[in-house]
Amino acid sequence: MMTRADCGHRRGDASDFIRRELRRRNHTMRSLAALIGLSGEAVAKTVRGELHSPRVLDALRDLGVPEKY
């Protein structure tokens, strides 16, 4: 079973992929933050694997970013 820290490290390794997936869906981390009512910093830290925000992760899933990232 993976810990939150393990998930964060993997997400950090995949942050470039996540950014590309957001761009493909006409979003940036800033636009995603505005969409879900969080700061851009919270979204960026979650994408880099430094923070575990369920709201950000749910929004990424809702946009179709593959779960494995």
Side-chain angles (χ1 to χ4, degrees):
M1 185 164 158
M2 290 183 61
T3 66
R4 277 188 174 185
D6 294 333
C7 291
H9 289 299
R10 282 193 171 181
R11 195 169 48 254
D13 292 343
S15 63
D16 289 336
F17 177 82
I18 294 169
R19 285 185 186 98
R20 280 194 303 273
E21 288 295 308
L22 284 171
R23 279 194 302 270
R24 283 184 50 205
R25 290 158 174 80
N26 298 315
H27 280 282
T28 62
M29 286 192 279
R30 184 170 289 171
S31 70
L32 180 62
L35 184 70
I36 61 175
L38 289 177
S39 70
E41 184 72 14
V43 173
K45 282 186 174 186
T46 301
V47 169
R48 288 192 308 259
E50 298 170 9
L51 183 69
H52 182 85
S53 169
R55 285 175 60 190
V56 173
L57 298 173
D58 287 344
L60 290 169
R61 284 184 204 101
D62 291 345
L63 288 175
V65 174
E67 179 76 26
K68 64 183 179 180
Y69 298 110

